[in-house]
Amino acid sequence: MKLLDEGLSWYRGLQQRERLLVLGASLMIAFTLFFLIIWEPVHKNLEEQSQRYQAQLGVLQWMQNAADEVRRLKATGDRNRVTRSDQPVTLIVENSAATAGIKAYLSRLESTSDKGARVTIDAASFDQLLLWLNTLQTRHGITVRSANIDRDDTPGGVNARLTLNRE
């Protein structure tokens, strides 16, 4: 209390112009402290929460797509059995890649024989790639003989070099 009284008496002893300067500096300090202690941390936290929310929405969308894929696969039942065809492996690979939505990521497709192919895929979604490889195996009997898969710069993206064979 004594300190407050001394401060007030000091303030009252100042000239009018000095009082205005002290008041202005006090307001500026109060505004700066408010910004640094309250406003900036709250704003930063809201931004982080928004980013987390967007990431969770992405996960939710992926899960819903995966659930739809599971329902679709369950509904097809026996239709997923391996179908043997006389078509070259490269043609089957190209057609199934288009169906799976990764044909745009195929940068190279070359035949090794009637029963084999080498495939290079750039910046494709890892999940899509796995679903496509599963489809090749379950529907067409084409298996992966060798695979080299590297992380791409895009989130969830991969670059893959695959050797595929039909048994």
Side-chain angles (χ1 to χ4, degrees):
M1 204 60 168
K2 184 178 180 184
L3 188 60
L4 182 62
D5 289 337
E6 288 177 10
L8 284 175
S9 66
W10 171 80
Y11 181 75
R12 289 181 188 132
L14 296 175
Q15 293 179 2
Q16 182 65 25
R17 188 172 55 172
E18 291 172 337
R19 285 183 188 172
L20 288 175
L21 284 174
V22 168
L23 184 62
S26 300
L27 288 174
M28 185 63 93
I29 290 171
F31 177 74
T32 303
L33 288 175
F34 172 78
F35 180 78
L36 292 175
I37 294 172
I38 297 172
W39 182 260
E40 186 178 8
V42 168
H43 181 69
K44 193 178 216 179
N45 190 23
L46 284 174
E47 189 174 312
E48 288 173 2
Q49 292 300 324
S50 176
Q51 289 173 353
R52 286 184 190 148
Y53 176 73
Q54 293 300 323
Q56 291 299 319
L57 281 179
V59 170
L60 174 64
Q61 181 65 37
W62 177 84
M63 291 177 91
Q64 288 173 338
N65 290 341
D68 291 342
E69 178 74 11
V70 168
R71 279 188 222 99
R72 187 180 62 75
L73 290 173
K74 280 184 179 179
T76 59
D78 289 338
R79 291 184 289 177
N80 282 339
R81 289 192 180 168
V82 174
T83 57
R84 300 288 178 196
S85 86
D86 296 338
Q87 294 178 336
V89 171
T90 54
L91 183 60
I92 295 170
V93 167
E94 189 172 4
N95 290 339
S96 65
T99 304
I102 64 170
K103 185 174 181 177
Y105 305 110
L106 280 175
S107 62
R108 192 160 132 196
L109 173 60
E110 61 185 42
S111 178
T112 57
S113 67
D114 279 349
K115 293 185 175 191
R118 279 192 208 107
V119 180
T120 303
I121 298 171
D122 294 321
S125 165
F126 181 70
D127 297 330
Q128 269 186 310
L129 177 66
L130 289 182
L131 288 172
W132 175 62
L133 291 174
N134 181 51
T135 301
L136 281 176
Q137 183 175 5
T138 57
R139 292 190 184 162
H140 304 287
I142 298 173
T143 58
V144 178
R145 166 123 315 138
S146 69
N148 185 356
I149 300 174
D150 299 314
R151 185 183 308 171
D152 188 59
D153 293 336
T154 58
V158 294
N159 300 319
R161 288 171 299 288
L162 309 166
T163 302
L164 305 172
N165 280 352
R166 178 172 48 200
E167 297 177 12

